[in-house]
Amino acid sequence: TTTVMSATPAPSGIEQQLVDRLRATVQSYLSRMQYKSAAFWADKLVSLSRGQPKDVYNYCQCLYLTKQYHRAIHHLKQRQLHVRTVAGCHLTALCHYDSGEFNDALAVLDSAAAGNGGTAADTGGFNASQWLASASRVLDDDNLTASTEWQQLPQLDEFGLPCRPLAGSLALLRGRVFESLGVRPRAVHCFVDALRKDAYCYEAFEALFGSQNLRASEEAELLANLHFDEACQTPEEAKLLQLVYGNRVNKYGPPKELEVPDSIVALKDNGDLVTSLAERYFYACHFHECQQLTSSVLANDPFNDLCLPLHIAALKELGKDNQLFLLGHQLVELYPSRPISWYAVGCYYLCIHDKEMARRYLMKCTRMNRYFGPGWIALGHALAEDTEHDQAIAAYTTAIQAMQGSHVPYLYIGLEYGLTNNLPLASEFFDQAVELCPNDPFLLHERGVTYFNARDYAKAEEQFRLAVGRIDELSGEMPSSFWEPVFNNLGHTCRKLKRYDEAIQHHQRAWSLYPGNAATLTALGYAFALNGDFDRAVDHLTRSLSLNSDDKFSSQLLSKLVEVMAETHLPWLDSLLGDRGDSLPTMNWQDLPDRKPASLAMESPSGASLSG
């Protein structure tokens, strides 16, 4: 039976005192998180206040907090609060959502947005349906523009229930419902709507930026259009939002110290801001600096959700398997139902090169949350290391659904096609990745490798130089040793274009980044020989063989050089080498397991290539 709200007689003086006392008691128990006690006395309060809407709503809130969702739905719908008040609509849909009844939740929200509810006459002059329709308005699918009618909503309705503050909450809930139904584009629109209606709604911000549903350009555009000055009452509030949100967005920027305004300088050591800085170090491949920062954050907040995936990836890149083992064991013991726990375990097994166990636990991670992008990327890495290229591509393809605004899944798919020598498909996916993130040095490098393998050396040089320029921008004069293959491959390309002096310079820079790589010494010896500097060629080839005595190419080249040291022209080189160096195969990471880039889903690709 539906009970229509009507004017109810106010309690008498003594009753009113008792009602006020019970209201204070209910709020007191809620503040102490004693929800059952709050629900018990809220039930008595509804009777004593003769079903006042505000008391009914508070009672249903208590039922929600005690997970009695359908009981709350019954009382809300019995008194038509779900169509006559914004707060009642939100709570009813939220109960359906947490019960797993996503279609019913959407029906409640759609009914409100369509204006199916009471009239001004029913509610004493307050047209709840009109306000609900305005508050529930969703972004236009084509131009991402939103209605501003919700701004005319009052702060409270005539029953004293929140109205305008819930406009953003309704949009957020609608987005969660669409996300649960698998309609990701609609969900993204709703999250954008929620953030525009409530700039402080971090849940909407996290849903957009944390899961990489937007492209980098869309992120920057959205952040610029949030108009913090209008959403905030003071300039300090606007600076706060700009600092906190802005640091989360520009993850591919150069790592530099946070610039915090003096008025909020105390935020400089905040864990989330430090994590944002650590993320920039990670993408610039400064893994030691990244791990130092994440360790400092976790020392104060051991289970920081934002920091943990980054910390795990940094430990994997640094090969710190003991720390990964301890962290994974701790997470599984405390949070066995969270995907991050099994992600840590899978990364540990990747670190010790137990590919079968890594696949098992990473699959468990992705089953717990199909939208956990890091899990899918890590699973793809585990499959790729086992040369299961088709399955790896399938994992990366699934990651696209979880990270629709990220270029990384496309990059890895292109990388796998490159490994199978399917250069047209590799180029196609690299092009898609470039549309999403045109300045990623990993991506630029892999495109250069593809052009090199296709013997288009001019385009290969262009891509390698773009990658080097971006690396210098990110890392300054001393990049991470991780970037050594980029400089070596640029040297190979210059050698193919017969610019031997330039080739030598790039190989020397590669050697300065990663001393001890025999392939770099071989490349230098080869370039010196072609340039006519036989003494230095012999020196570098000898040093190369001291590091890798099984290198047949270095051994043969050294023997020939020793035989013809007096000669100035070496026509036999072309016949000796044949097609040697005409391709740059993507690196077999099983040969250099300790230097595989960012396996773990933080998004830095494993695309460096062998010197050749």
Side-chain angles (χ1 to χ4, degrees):
T1 302
T2 300
T3 302
V4 178
M5 290 188 300
S6 59
T8 55
S12 62
I14 296 178
E15 286 181 326
Q16 185 61 49
Q17 292 179 8
L18 186 56
V19 165
D20 292 341
R21 171 62 180 162
L22 281 180
R23 285 173 179 167
T25 299
V26 169
Q27 293 302 317
S28 176
Y29 279 122
L30 286 175
S31 67
R32 286 179 276 169
M33 291 173 285
Q34 294 179 240
Y35 302 135
K36 288 187 177 180
S37 295
F40 178 83
W41 291 112
D43 172 55
K44 310 307 178 284
L45 178 59
V46 169
S47 298
L48 284 174
S49 68
R50 295 172 173 82
Q52 289 290 329
K54 186 174 182 179
D55 294 322
V56 173
Y57 175 77
N58 288 338
Y59 174 47
C60 292
Q61 270 192 319
C62 295
L63 293 176
Y64 172 81
L65 291 170
T66 54
K67 302 186 185 302
Q68 301 181 69
Y69 303 126
H70 292 91
R71 193 176 174 191
I73 292 169
H74 170 76
H75 287 289
L76 289 165
K77 290 186 174 180
Q78 185 182 47
R79 292 169 173 82
Q80 295 190 359
L81 290 180
H82 67 301
V83 292
R84 297 178 182 273
T85 68
V86 177
C89 170
H90 175 258
L91 184 56
T92 304
L94 189 60
C95 288
H96 280 302
Y97 173 80
D98 284 338
S99 299
E101 299 167 350
F102 306 124
N103 288 314
D104 291 334
L106 189 59
V108 171
L109 295 170
D110 285 343
S111 177
N116 298 328
T119 65
D122 295 327
T123 57
F126 176 74
N127 193 335
S129 297
Q130 178 182 343
W131 297 124
L132 281 166
S134 299
S136 300
R137 198 87 63 202
V138 185
L139 287 170
D140 183 84
D141 285 342
D142 296 325
N143 56 20
L144 288 179
T145 58
S147 168
T148 58
E149 296 176 21
W150 65 274
Q151 294 178 348
Q152 306 303 318
L153 292 169
Q155 291 293 326
L156 301 175
D157 63 20
E158 66 165 335
F159 306 113
L161 297 176
C163 188
R164 180 176 175 182
L166 284 173
S169 300
L170 285 171
L172 173 67
L173 180 56
R174 183 184 289 273
R176 286 177 169 174
V177 171
F178 279 128
E179 188 175 51
S180 299
L181 292 172
V183 190
R184 299 283 289 189
R186 295 278 293 178
V188 169
H189 286 293
C190 293
F191 292 139
V192 172
D193 190 23
L195 199 55
R196 283 179 170 164
K197 289 176 176 176
D198 180 5
Y200 282 91
C201 185
Y202 175 74
E203 292 162 283
F205 179 87
E206 177 66 16
L208 288 168
F209 296 92
S211 300
Q212 296 181 303
N213 286 313
L214 300 178
R215 300 183 179 187
S217 58
E218 291 173 339
E219 289 182 348
E221 180 183 359
L222 173 59
L223 194 65
N225 292 333
L226 288 179
H227 304 299
F228 293 126
D229 294 337
E230 299 176 7
C232 301
Q233 298 180 359
T234 64
E236 286 70 24
E237 286 185 59
K239 292 177 182 178
L240 172 65
L241 290 176
Q242 185 65 50
L243 173 68
V244 173
Y245 288 165
N247 273 283
R248 286 289 305 275
V249 171
N250 190 21
K251 66 179 67 177
Y252 297 111
K256 57 183 179 180
E257 290 299 320
L258 298 174
E259 297 179 1
V260 182
D262 293 338
S263 57
I264 52 175
V265 70
L267 277 174
K268 188 172 184 179
D269 296 327
N270 178 265
D272 286 355
L273 295 186
V274 174
T275 299
S276 297
L277 177 59
E279 195 169 25
R280 290 193 187 90
Y281 275 113
F282 184 89
Y283 290 123
C285 293
H286 291 293
F287 301 123
H288 287 285
E289 291 84 349
C290 172
Q291 193 254 332
Q292 289 175 356
L293 290 174
T294 56
S295 296
S296 69
V297 172
L298 295 177
N300 295 320
D301 186 4
F303 306 107
N304 186 305
D305 285 341
L306 182 63
C307 187
L308 272 175
L310 183 62
H311 183 68
I312 292 168
L315 291 177
K316 167 60 181 68
E317 292 310 314
L318 296 172
K320 297 187 176 182
D321 52 349
N322 288 335
Q323 293 187 36
L324 267 177
F325 175 83
L326 293 174
L327 179 59
H329 181 79
Q330 186 178 26
L331 289 173
V332 167
E333 183 177 357
L334 295 176
Y335 304 110
S337 60
R338 292 176 56 186
I340 187 66
S341 303
W342 301 105
Y343 172 67
V345 175
C347 290
Y348 162 73
Y349 282 110
L350 273 178
C351 195
I352 64 172
H353 313 297
D354 189 336
K355 291 169 284 190
E356 180 60 33
M357 296 296 289
R359 291 167 58 175
R360 177 185 303 179
Y361 288 111
L362 290 170
M363 289 178 68
K364 183 172 184 177
C365 164
T366 55
R367 283 196 298 267
M368 286 184 172
N369 182 358
R370 60 187 298 237
Y371 292 115
F372 187 65
W376 287 111
I377 296 294
L379 178 59
H381 289 338
L383 293 166
E385 285 192 4
D386 210 19
T387 64
E388 297 284 353
H389 299 299
D390 291 339
Q391 294 185 47
I393 290 172
Y396 296 139
T397 302
T398 308
I400 292 176
Q401 302 173 15
M403 308 160 66
Q404 292 185 357
S406 173
H407 69 292
V408 174
Y410 296 99
L411 172 57
Y412 281 128
I413 294 174
L415 190 60
E416 290 303 307
Y417 280 122
L419 288 169
T420 57
N421 206 32
N422 192 333
L423 299 184
L425 271 178
S427 296
E428 180 180 335
F429 279 96
F430 288 148
D431 290 343
Q432 293 183 58
V434 166
E435 292 180 6
L436 295 171
C437 185
N439 296 320
D440 181 6
F442 288 106
L443 175 56
L444 296 171
H445 171 254
E446 286 305 325
R447 294 188 86 196
V449 171
T450 303
Y451 285 127
F452 189 100
N453 289 338
R455 303 192 181 189
D456 190 341
Y457 303 124
K459 288 186 178 180
E461 181 190 14
E462 177 186 1
Q463 295 299 311
F464 288 139
R465 289 194 182 277
L466 287 172
V468 167
R470 182 60 176 162
I471 290 168
D472 289 338
E473 180 184 345
L474 289 173
S475 304
E477 296 181 358
M478 184 51 64
S480 166
S481 61
F482 189 84
W483 300 113
E484 166 262 324
V486 181
F487 294 95
N488 263 333
N489 288 343
L490 179 55
H492 297 318
T493 306
C494 290
R495 188 194 70 236
K496 282 294 179 182
L497 295 172
K498 302 187 184 305
R499 300 205 301 269
Y500 304 125
D501 288 333
E502 290 185 46
I504 290 169
Q505 290 176 5
H506 295 305
H507 288 312
Q508 286 175 335
R509 190 172 182 191
W511 175 260
S512 70
L513 294 181
Y514 184 51
N517 186 4
T520 303
L521 292 174
T522 299
L524 278 166
Y526 186 14
F528 277 124
L530 291 172
N531 206 31
D533 191 342
F534 307 140
D535 291 335
R536 298 182 72 179
V538 169
D539 176 60
H540 283 83
L541 290 170
T542 303
R543 292 164 59 191
S544 174
L545 288 170
S546 70
L547 296 174
N548 181 13
S549 59
D550 295 330
D551 187 350
K552 294 182 179 179
F553 172 76
S554 297
S555 179
Q556 291 178 11
L557 180 56
L558 178 61
S559 298
K560 287 292 184 180
L561 281 172
V562 171
E563 292 176 6
V564 294
M565 281 291 287
E567 299 182 21
T568 58
H569 181 62
L570 305 178
W572 45 266
L573 275 176
D574 292 335
S575 61
L576 168 67
L577 297 173
D579 291 336
R580 164 95 183 182
D582 280 348
S583 65
L584 288 179
T586 301
M587 179 172 283
N588 181 353
W589 292 109
Q590 296 170 351
D591 294 338
L592 292 175
D594 57 325
R595 303 191 63 244
K596 177 178 178 185
S599 56
L600 308 192
M602 288 312 301
E603 298 187 23
S604 75
S606 59
S609 296
L610 281 173
S611 304

